[in-house]
Structures are given as structure tokens and as C-alpha cells.
């Protein structure tokens, strides 16, 4: 429900100076994607499928690769032997990992006298519109991906196009080298395109057909090259016989429906607004409801090289950031492809737990896996990072809380959380009367070196305490398993909630106090891109800032984090940092962090990079390393400006920087299955409307002061905010509005 009418700018003008494919306009149906960009007198169409994999290779799970063996090696200092527990497959003398593959492009050359003069992405219709100047006047080209088929359609006047050239990725030097290294055969040319056979995966045919007014490009699989070609030909025959206008109408209606559902925001900063709406658009293209879970580049992998990090599923931050906005933006169905994929992996996750800690009732997920859940390779410390599993559990729990989905909570989330916790329990040891996690990590700190492991990492502890807290809440609410609840309560009582040490940031004289450490004896010693030791603030929300001791530790940690700076951050570090700043009451810094993200880590198209754009801001520099999660997570950071859900309380406008006197939002979803809208004028909040989808208790931090005016149906009454919190139980389908207590009804009378 959107209680406030906002007119978003869904159309984004596009620069005509695109340096390479990722500067292009993204189009996608959640599986098949295209990037529309420009080079000389040609319109370039880079295409890919999010399911285009070479599954060979990856980490080998050795028989002696188990927790007991690993712990013995690490405690004896034999880190090289520990590393050898996780070998990767070798092919032709080189490490071979499962990898998403580059696909290729089509180059649409314009006729002499036809010049590109404008380009815009119409997000509401998911359509790229190009304007041209010709001798006969202005002409347009319309480009879109059909919502229900792997088909790119280009519509324009026939006299505009001189030629259409198919260019498979093998035509590029870097791709050819990879193909040759790992025995991937060259593509076979077919009329209008090519067919790519793979050693162990289905063949993929990419074929175009050009008529008087339409260029169609389709990509289909087959058990053989011939079968793949036949599948594409059948697809093209089908589109020839149908009314393509009907297909476009369905596609536009599909996208329009999603936008009608999505939360709207308004802020007097067009760059931030563009960042929000383009982030939502890319999230939908990367995790369209009913399609595929999001990877590092989604369906927009480049054509001239294989995508970095195999374009796989990274579960120590990247997948999560790709879906963070789904909650607040009221697009919860975008989370379901991930949950469906995880559900299909459960036998593998159970086998991992059995191998690693010897239990029959556990799940264990590595940090870098392919679409079958198998480890790709890379940092072996990530393969033992059980927080990957509990972080998925957190996402599932958050979905249930935001959706009010009790059935999913009990049938899916509860057992998944138990099995994630069981692996942590098997990794624990007694430390006197307490529990400890002797082998733990803080993602990516220290890489795969001996400095990458420690005892009682704050990240692991926060994950365990999140699981314990939520499992005990469910036990109190539903009475599910008293014996397991007793174990959970014991762990929660006897396992430290985090690890601390002497505060590190010291200006002039030494000051007392403690801060969060990565693990025992290891402070944040250097700038680090992964804010894992602060995960108890966000997203796990386990740290109670109303406790003075906790607040003191957290703020000391914040100062040290700021002190270490951003010199080793990546693009995806920035939106998470913005949210952390905002959660800790620093909205101006949260806003600046997003501006820095745009300037230092984004292309003109708002596509985000892992590396920085230029030297001097970060040590990671290089414009072409695109990863999708940062530009999507930026939308979540913008949503945090307007609505925050913190330990059962909802805050509105607390994250909007003071410089913005006017701001509004409409239809933002919050925990408890509430939909909120609000308006700020002349620097003051003037209204907050809440609709409840279930019978639930609202706890709203009062943005008006000690009192607020409540509009409930025909009634108007003053409500007190005990401790600054408005508490109100709402019925399913009920809508209420809050206004300043001193507001009048238009006749100068105070409403009471």
C-alpha cells in the first residue's frame, strides 16, 4: 500500500560515450540478459544467460578433510598442511574451477547518415530507446528482452541498419586463451550466429533473425549442438508466427506490476534517487521472482573475457547484498529464487556437515559455490566459514518476519536454523564453564594465510547468538522443542556474544575502554573491505545499543573502524558501510558514503565495480571489474534513510541527512508485515501512515516528540510515547496515520 503519491523518474537518460559493455543499458528477464552500448557507428548488444556454466573443476573434498583434522593442524601451526586439505582440480597443469562463461555480442552497424543522438532506459517498461538522426528525420530503435523467453528484440526502421554481425566470445583473446587452456571447443558458426558445445554441459546456440523491422536474438540449450540449434529455430519460428506486440505488452505489464508494488522514495538529490531506482531495477533483473538466484554479475557477464570470480554465488556478503533491498522495497518474491535454490541443495549441505563435523542433522554451506552448491575454490578459509549457512538462515528469518509468513517460519526457517546451529555446536569446545569456537574466521581478513583464522571470531559469535536468540523466541511463541531450547539457552548464556580487547583508536593520551575484535587478540589492525566484526549492528542486529556497556564498546569500535579508513575497501564495502553509519546515528556520513560509492566505484551507468575508478581512494583500482551487488545494496542503504527496523522497533526518517528538509517515502515494508509511508516538510516529519497485513504489535519510535496525533478510522486521539516509543496493536488490513500532536484539522482546532 502506497499512502503517499510519489512520481518516480523511471526513465534514465543514458550517456552515448560508453567505454565498454558494462557502461551499457541493462535488460533482463532474470535469466537472459543484454547490455546495450555504443561504439563508433554501431549499437553493441552484449548478451549472456545467468545459467551458462562450465561445471567442471572445483574444490576436492578429501576424506581426511574434517574439523578434527583441521583443528589439529592449525593448533600445531602446520598451516600448509591445513591448506592442502582443500585442493582444487588441475586440468592441463592449471587450476580449474566451475565458472560462468562469457557468451558474446551482436554488432548492429548503422547505415551512413544515421547517427545516434539520444538514449534512455525506461525502467518501468524494461526497454532501451535510442534516438537517431537520419536524412529523413528522427527515428527510434526499441530494444527489450521478453519476460518469458530468452529472446532479445530490436525494433526499428529497416533503412537504419547496414549489417548485423555475430561475435562469439571466443573471438576475443582472453576468452580464447581460457577455452584453449581447458579444452572447450571453439564455437561453430551457423547462419545468424553460433553454437557452443561444452565438454560436460549442454550445448548453447545463439542465433539471430533479421526482418524488415525486427532483429530477434535467441539463446537456447540442447543435449547436442544440433538440438540447441533446433531449439533456437523453434523459438524464432514461434515469434515469427506470433504478434510480437503482444509479447512486448506482456513484458511491459509484468514490469509495471513490479514497480507498482515496489516502494517509492523522494529526496531532493536526483543522483540518490537514480541510485535507488536503478538498484531496484537491477535487483529484479538479477533475481526476478520465479527465476534464478543472483550471482556476482547476474545475466550481464561481459563478452570479451570470462567474468571474474567465476561469476558464482558468494555467500559471505555478495549474494546477501544482491537481495538486501527486497525487504524494505516490498519485493519479497525476489528472495524466493534463492530459497528455492538452497532447498535443492539441502542433500549437499547435509553431506558437507556430515563430512566436516560428523553429524547427521546439520547444514554447511561454503562461501563460493556454483549453481549446484559445490565449492568453486578460492580461499579455503571461506569453505569452513559456517556463518555462510547462518547468514542464509538470517535472510530466511527476515523474510518470514517481513512477510508475516508463519508457515514458512515454522516449516522452513526453524529447521534450517537448527541445522545451521548444530554445526556450530559441533565446532565448539568447553572453556571452563563456558563455550568457545577454537577455529573461526572473519571473512577475507588475512585471506588464506595463517593470519586468517582465530579463536572466537566476533562474526561467528554474532551468527551463533542470532540463531540462539531467534530459536528461543520461536520456542517461547510456539513451544516447539523444549530440550533443544534448553541447549540453545545454555549456549546463549555460556558463549561470549562477541570478542573485545583494548580500544585501538587513541587520540593523544591513552584512553580506557574496549572495542570489538575480529577474534581473540586480533583488533581491526588495517583497513579491511569486509565489515564482519560490525555485523552485530547490521544485518544481524544482535547488539543492544540501549545497554550502556554495549554502546560504549560499539562506539569505540566505530571510531577505530573510521580511523583505519577506506583505503582497502571494495565497491561492495560502501553500501554496507552507509547502513552501519546510519544505524549508529551518523546520517550525514551515511549519505556521503553513497556519494563516494557513486563517484569512486560506479560507472556513469551506475553499474558498480569491485575496484575503484581512480588511484588515491582505494588500493583496489581497475574499472572493468564489474560486480552487481554494490549498486543493488545501495538501494537498501537508501531505504535505511527512511525506515529502519532495529531490535523490534521501527524508526522513520532517522537516516535522512539534516541537509534535506523535504523527503517522502511510500510503501516501504518493515518487520511485522507493516507497510509504511511518510512525509517530511520544512525539516519536520508531518505524517506517517502504517498499514498492517496481520494482527500485530507496532512499536514505532515517535518522530514527533512526546506525543502524536493518531488517526484511526474516524477517531482522532493523542497518543503518548512511553520512552519515545508508540506502541499500538493493529488488526490485519488496518491503516492508521500519525501526525504531530499540535496539528490542526484545517479549522485551527487541535484534534483530541
Amino acid at each position: 500500500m502506497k499512502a503517499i503519491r510519489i512520481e518516480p523518474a523511471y526513465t534514465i537518460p543514458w550517456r552515448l560515450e560508453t567505454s565498454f559493455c558494462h557502461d551499457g543499458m541493462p535488460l533482463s528477464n532474470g535469466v537472459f540478459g543484454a547490455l546495450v552500448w555504443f561504439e563508433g557507428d554501431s549499437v553493441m548488444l552484449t548478451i549472456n544467460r545467468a545459467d551458462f556454466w562450465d561445471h567442471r573443476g572445483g574444490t576436492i573434498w578429501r576424506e581426511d578433510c574434517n574439523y578434527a583434522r583441521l583443528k589439529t593442524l592449525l593448533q600445531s601451526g602446520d598451516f600448509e598442511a591445513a591448506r592442502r586439505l582443500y585442493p582444487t582440480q588441475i586440468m592441463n597443469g592449471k587450476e580449474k574451477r566451475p565458472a560462468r562463461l562469457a557468451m558474446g555480442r551482436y554488432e548492429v552497424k548503422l547505415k551512413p547518415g544515421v547517427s545516434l543522438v539520444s538514449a534512455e532506459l525506461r525502467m518501468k517498461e524494461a526497454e532501451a530507446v535510442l534516438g537517431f538522426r537520419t536524412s529523413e528525420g528522427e527515428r527510434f530503435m526499441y530494444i527489450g528482452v521478453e519476460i518469458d523467453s530468452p529472446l532479445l528484440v530490436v525494433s526499428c526502421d529497416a533503412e537504419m541498419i547496414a549489417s548485423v554481425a555475430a561475435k562469439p566470445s571466443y573471438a576475443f583473446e582472453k576468452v580464447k586463451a581460457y577455452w584453449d587452456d581447458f579444452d572447450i571447443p571453439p564455437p561453430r558458426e551457423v547462419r545468424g550466429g553460433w553454437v557452443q558445445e561444452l565438454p560436460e554441459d549442454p550445448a548453447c546456440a545463439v542465433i539471430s533473425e533479421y526482418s524488415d523491422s525486427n532483429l530477434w536474438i535467441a539463446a537456447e540449450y540442447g543435449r547436442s549442438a544440433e538440438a540447441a540449434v533446433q531449439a533456437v529455430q523453434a523459438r524464432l519460428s514461434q515469434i515469427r508466427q506470433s504478434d510480437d506486440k503482444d509479447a512486448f505488452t506482456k513484458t511491459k505489464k509484468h514490469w509495471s506490476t513490479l514497480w507498482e508494488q515496489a516502494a517509492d522514495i523522494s529526496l531532493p538529490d536526483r543522483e540518490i534517487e537514480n541510485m535507488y531506482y536503478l538498484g531496484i531495477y537491477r535487483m529484479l533483473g538479477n533475481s526476478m521472482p520465479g527465476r534464478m538466484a543472483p550471482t556476482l554479475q547476474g545475466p550481464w557477464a561481459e563478452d570479451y573475457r570470462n567474468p571474474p570470480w567465476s561469476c558464482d554465488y558468494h555467500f559471505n556478503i555478495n549474494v546477501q547484498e544482491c537481495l538486501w533491498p527486497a525487504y524494505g522495497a516490498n519485493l519479497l518474491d525476489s528472495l524466493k529464487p534463492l530459497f528455492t535454490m538452497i532447498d535443492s541443495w539441502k542433500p549437499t549441505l547435509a553431506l558437507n556437515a556430515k563430512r566436516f563435523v560428523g553429524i547427521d542433522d546439520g547444514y554447511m554451506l561454503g562461501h563460493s559455490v556454483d549453481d549446484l552448491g559445490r565449492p568453486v575454490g578460492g580461499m579455503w578459509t571461506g569453505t569452513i566459514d559456517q556463518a555462510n549457512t547462518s547468514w542464509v538462515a538470517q535472510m530466511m528469518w527476515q523474510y518470514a518476519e517481513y512477510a508475516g509468513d508463519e508457515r514458512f517460519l515454522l516449516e522452513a526457517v526453524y529447521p534450517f536454523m537448527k541445522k545451521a546451529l548444530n554445526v556450530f555446536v559441533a565446532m565448539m569446545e568447553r572453556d571452563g564453564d563456558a563455550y568457545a569456537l577454537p577455529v573461526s574466521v572473519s571473512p577475507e581478513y588475512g585471506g588464506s594465510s595463517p593470519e586468517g583464522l582465530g579463536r572466537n571470531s566476533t562474526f561467528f559469535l554474532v551468527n551463533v547468538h542470532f540463531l540462539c536468540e531467534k530459536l528461543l523466541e520461536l520456542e517461547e511463541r510456539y513451544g516447539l522443542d523444549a530440550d533443544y531450547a534448553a541447549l540453545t539457552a545454555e549456549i546463549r548464556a555460556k558463549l561470549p556474544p562477541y570478542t573485545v580487547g583494548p580500544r585501538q583508536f587513541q587520540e593523544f593520551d591513552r584512553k580506557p575502554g574496549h572495542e570489538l575484535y575480529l577474534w581473540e587478540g586480533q583488533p581491526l589492525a588495517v583497513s579491511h573491505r569486509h565489515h564482519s566484526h560490525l555485523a552485530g549492528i547490521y544485518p544481524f542486529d544482535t547488539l543492544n545499543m540501549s545497554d550502556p556497556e554495549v554502546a560504549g564498546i560499539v562506539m569505540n569500535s566505530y571510531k577505530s573502524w573510521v580511523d583505519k579508513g577506506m583505503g582497502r575497501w571494495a565497491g561492495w564495502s560502501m553500501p554496507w558501510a552507509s547502513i552501519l553509519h546510519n544505524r549508529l546515528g551518523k546520517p550525514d556520513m551515511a549519505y556521503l558514503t553513497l556519494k563516494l560509492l557513486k563517484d569512486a566505484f560506479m560507472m556513469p551507468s551506475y553499474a558498480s565495480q569491485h575496484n575503484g575508478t581512480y588511484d588515491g581512494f582505494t588500493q583496489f583500482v581497475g574499472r572493468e571489474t564489474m560486480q552487481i551487488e554494490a549498486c543493488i545494496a545501495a538501494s537498501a542503504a537508501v531505504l535505511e534513510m527512511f525506515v529502519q527496523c532495529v531490535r523490534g522497533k521501527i524508526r522513520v526518517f532517522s537516516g535522512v541527512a539534516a541537509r534535506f528538509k523535504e523527503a517522502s517515502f511510500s510503501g516501504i515494508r518493515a518487520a511485522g508485515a507493516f507497510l509504511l509511508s511518510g512525509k517530511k516538510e520544512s525539516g519536520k516529519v508531518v505524517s506517517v501512515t502504517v498499514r498492517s497485513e496481520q494482527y500485530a504489535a507496532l512499536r514505532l519510535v515517535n518522530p514527533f516528540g512526546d506525543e502524536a496525533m493518531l488517526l484511526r478510522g474516524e477517531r482522532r486521539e493523542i497518543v503518548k510515547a512511553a520512552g519515545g516509543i508508540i506502541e499500538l496493536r493493529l488488526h490485519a488490513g488496518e491503516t492508521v496515520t500519525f501526525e504531530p500532536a499540535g496539528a490542526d484539522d484545517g479549522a485551527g482546532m487541535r484534534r483530541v
Side-chain angles (χ1 to χ4, degrees):
M1 183 207 71
K2 298 182 180 180
I4 294 174
R5 185 175 181 82
I6 295 173
E7 298 291 345
Y10 289 125
T11 297
I12 306 291
W14 219 262
R15 283 168 48 116
L16 304 184
E17 299 79 25
T18 52
S19 56
F20 73 119
C21 59
H22 286 304
D23 270 337
M25 289 181 277
L27 303 168
S28 169
N29 61 15
V31 177
F32 184 59
L35 293 163
V36 182
W37 52 292
F38 321 109
E39 188 174 272
D41 60 355
S42 296
V43 176
M44 316 297 279
L45 305 171
T46 294
I47 58 171
N48 201 272
R49 286 188 58 136
D51 54 3
F52 190 40
W53 281 88
D54 173 13
H55 284 101
R56 297 173 302 155
T59 298
I60 301 169
W61 199 300
R62 288 174 34 171
E63 288 299 320
D64 60 345
C65 179
N66 57 62
Y67 180 67
R69 177 65 175 156
L70 179 67
K71 183 168 66 170
T72 297
L73 292 173
L74 294 174
Q75 290 177 341
S76 68
D78 194 347
F79 289 93
E80 189 55 40
R83 186 196 303 270
R84 289 197 299 270
L85 288 178
Y86 293 88
T88 53
Q89 296 185 48
I90 302 299
M91 187 176 297
N92 298 333
K94 296 186 177 182
E95 180 182 334
K96 178 67 178 74
R97 303 179 181 185
R100 280 273 309 282
L101 299 175
M103 186 168 280
R105 74 169 66 146
Y106 279 81
E107 300 179 355
V108 180
K109 188 173 182 178
L110 303 171
K111 285 186 176 181
V114 178
S115 57
L116 178 67
V117 295
S118 68
E120 62 185 28
L121 176 64
R122 297 179 181 176
M123 293 185 291
K124 194 163 188 179
E125 296 84 16
E127 183 177 53
V129 180
L130 313 183
F132 297 88
R133 183 182 298 114
T134 73
S135 59
E136 298 181 0
E138 191 175 28
R139 294 289 186 271
F140 292 93
M141 180 181 289
Y142 302 89
I143 309 173
V145 171
E146 282 198 9
I147 195 62
D148 288 331
S149 61
L151 188 69
L152 179 71
V153 182
V154 181
S155 298
C156 65
D157 292 339
E159 64 269 17
M160 294 169 54
I161 297 178
S163 63
V164 177
K167 194 169 186 178
S169 59
Y170 189 79
F172 297 92
E173 181 180 345
K174 291 181 179 179
V175 175
K176 182 180 184 302
Y178 182 92
W179 256 234
D180 294 346
D181 281 344
F182 297 115
D183 300 330
I184 299 176
R188 285 167 38 192
E189 183 179 350
V190 297
R191 182 178 178 182
W194 66 89
V195 59
Q196 177 66 62
E197 293 181 284
L198 297 175
E200 296 178 9
D201 288 275
C204 184
V206 182
I207 300 176
S208 68
E209 186 169 303
Y210 182 44
S211 71
D212 290 340
S213 58
N214 283 325
L215 168 66
W216 299 302
I217 301 171
E220 294 277 9
Y221 294 112
R223 296 183 65 180
S224 65
E226 291 73 21
V229 170
Q230 290 172 5
V232 176
Q233 290 173 341
R235 176 73 65 187
L236 294 173
S237 175
Q238 181 184 33
I239 194 66
R240 282 196 306 271
Q241 297 170 21
S242 66
D243 187 343
D244 60 281
K245 291 183 179 179
D246 291 340
F248 266 109
T249 298
K250 184 178 181 181
T251 298
K252 292 178 181 180
K253 184 177 180 181
H254 183 96
W255 277 92
S256 180
T257 299
L258 290 170
W259 284 114
E260 289 168 6
Q261 179 181 336
D264 293 327
I265 61 99
S266 177
L267 200 69
D269 186 319
R270 178 52 62 86
E271 193 167 72
I272 294 294
E273 287 188 347
N274 286 350
M275 190 180 293
Y276 171 73
Y277 287 105
L278 269 167
I280 296 299
Y281 174 79
R282 284 186 165 104
M283 181 187 75
L284 289 167
N286 197 23
S287 191
M288 180 69 67
R291 303 294 163 77
M292 295 183 58
T295 58
L296 293 176
Q297 293 188 339
W300 301 299
E302 51 263 81
D303 45 25
Y304 63 94
R305 64 170 180 176
N306 273 356
W309 294 284
S310 302
C311 195
D312 63 8
Y313 293 96
H314 266 53
F315 280 98
N316 65 356
I317 182 62
N318 312 84
V319 169
Q320 288 84 348
E321 284 200 352
C322 284
L323 291 166
W324 275 353
Y327 300 97
N330 192 33
L331 293 166
L332 295 179
D333 284 350
S334 285
L335 291 151
K336 291 182 179 178
L338 171 64
F339 301 154
T340 299
M341 183 175 71
I342 292 293
D343 193 60
S344 72
W345 292 354
K346 285 179 179 177
T348 298
L349 305 185
L351 179 59
N352 292 345
K354 177 72 172 177
R355 285 169 163 172
F356 192 61
V357 293
I359 64 174
D360 295 315
D361 193 22
Y363 287 149
M364 188 174 190
L365 172 65
H367 92 287
S368 176
V369 298
D370 66 11
D371 61 340
L372 302 176
R374 302 179 304 193
V376 167
M379 291 186 295
W380 62 274
T381 48
T383 308
I384 67 166
D385 184 355
Q386 175 61 2
N388 298 306
T389 320
S390 48
W391 205 336
V392 170
Q394 184 271 338
M395 298 179 75
M396 296 170 68
W397 172 86
Q398 189 177 358
Y399 167 85
E401 284 292 296
Y402 276 63
D405 192 337
E406 186 178 72
R407 180 176 178 179
F408 183 74
L409 185 65
L410 295 176
E411 295 182 2
V413 183
Y414 176 70
F416 196 93
M417 288 196 299
K418 286 177 64 177
K419 293 187 178 186
L421 181 60
N422 289 343
V423 175
F424 277 120
V425 173
M427 295 171 68
M428 292 179 192
E429 64 182 20
R430 300 293 301 209
D431 185 10
D433 191 42
Y435 286 106
L437 285 162
V439 176
S440 59
V441 301
S442 200
E444 305 189 15
Y445 195 89
S448 295
S449 72
E451 290 73 37
L453 290 157
R455 179 183 177 87
N456 280 343
S457 79
T458 290
F459 187 59
F460 268 34
L461 296 176
V462 162
N463 273 265
V464 172
H465 277 272
F466 168 82
L467 293 173
C468 290
E469 179 180 301
K470 300 311 174 189
L471 287 168
L472 290 172
E473 287 178 5
L474 292 175
E475 177 64 25
E476 182 178 359
R477 196 185 312 175
Y478 299 106
L480 301 170
D481 186 337
D483 291 339
Y484 196 81
L487 171 65
T488 305
E490 181 181 9
I491 293 169
R492 191 181 186 195
K494 295 184 177 181
L495 183 75
Y498 42 72
T499 292
V500 299
R503 61 178 295 187
Q504 296 299 296
F505 172 70
Q506 302 286 344
E507 186 177 12
F508 308 122
D509 296 332
R510 190 85 185 167
K511 296 181 177 65
H514 291 85
E515 66 179 61
L516 298 170
Y517 274 31
L518 281 80
W519 51 74
E520 290 180 6
Q522 181 60 65
L524 181 67
V526 296
S527 172
H528 182 51
R529 62 184 177 271
H530 202 292
H531 316 310
S532 47
H533 70 302
L534 301 178
I537 301 165
Y538 183 89
F540 291 95
D541 194 25
T542 59
L543 299 177
N544 185 3
M545 294 294 285
S546 64
D547 182 328
E549 180 181 357
V550 173
I553 290 170
V554 169
M555 294 316 295
N556 284 340
S557 308
Y558 177 77
K559 291 177 181 178
S560 288
W561 178 61
V562 171
D563 181 59
K564 298 302 178 290
M566 297 178 269
R568 298 187 189 179
W569 286 14
W572 53 257
S573 309
M574 304 299 285
W576 189 4
S578 175
I579 294 172
L580 290 169
H581 285 302
N582 232 332
R583 287 288 177 103
L584 295 175
K586 313 293 181 183
D588 291 293
M589 190 61 207
Y591 169 72
L592 176 60
T593 303
L594 289 182
K595 302 295 278 189
L596 290 171
L597 168 64
K598 174 62 179 71
D599 189 65
F601 290 99
M602 282 185 170
M603 303 168 205
S605 60
Y606 291 81
S608 52
Q609 306 155 179
H610 178 278
N611 296 346
T613 301
Y614 43 77
D615 288 318
F617 184 83
T618 177
Q619 300 287 8
F620 301 110
V621 181
R623 292 208 60 186
E624 297 183 5
T625 311
M626 193 282 271
Q627 285 185 208
I628 201 70
E629 72 283 289
C631 56
I632 294 174
S635 297
V638 174
L639 288 165
E640 285 276 320
M641 295 179 177
F642 296 94
V643 176
Q644 298 174 14
C645 301
V646 182
R647 298 201 62 76
K649 298 187 289 289
I650 299 173
R651 305 169 181 166
V652 294
F653 289 112
S654 62
V656 175
R659 71 193 73 189
F660 298 117
K661 306 301 181 184
E662 317 289 325
S664 59
F665 66 91
S666 194
I668 293 181
R669 183 172 285 270
F674 297 111
L675 290 168
L676 282 76
S677 303
K679 183 175 288 188
K680 183 178 182 181
E681 295 177 348
S682 302
K684 295 182 178 180
V685 180
V686 297
S687 72
V688 176
T689 298
V690 182
R691 178 178 175 82
S692 181
E693 292 186 342
Q694 63 179 357
Y695 182 62
L698 173 71
R699 301 184 71 223
L700 177 69
V701 177
N702 188 7
F704 307 111
D706 295 331
E707 297 178 337
M709 179 72 74
L710 169 65
L711 285 70
R712 192 172 198 173
E714 298 299 319
R715 292 168 24 212
R716 296 183 176 91
E717 58 183 295
I718 298 292
V719 294
K720 298 284 187 180
I725 307 297
I726 298 172
E727 298 197 42
L728 192 67
R729 188 163 287 278
L730 301 180
H731 297 281
E734 184 177 11
T735 300
V736 298
T737 297
F738 300 96
E739 295 179 350
D744 63 51
D745 61 4
M749 298 294 292
R750 180 177 176 181
R751 297 186 293 231
V752 295

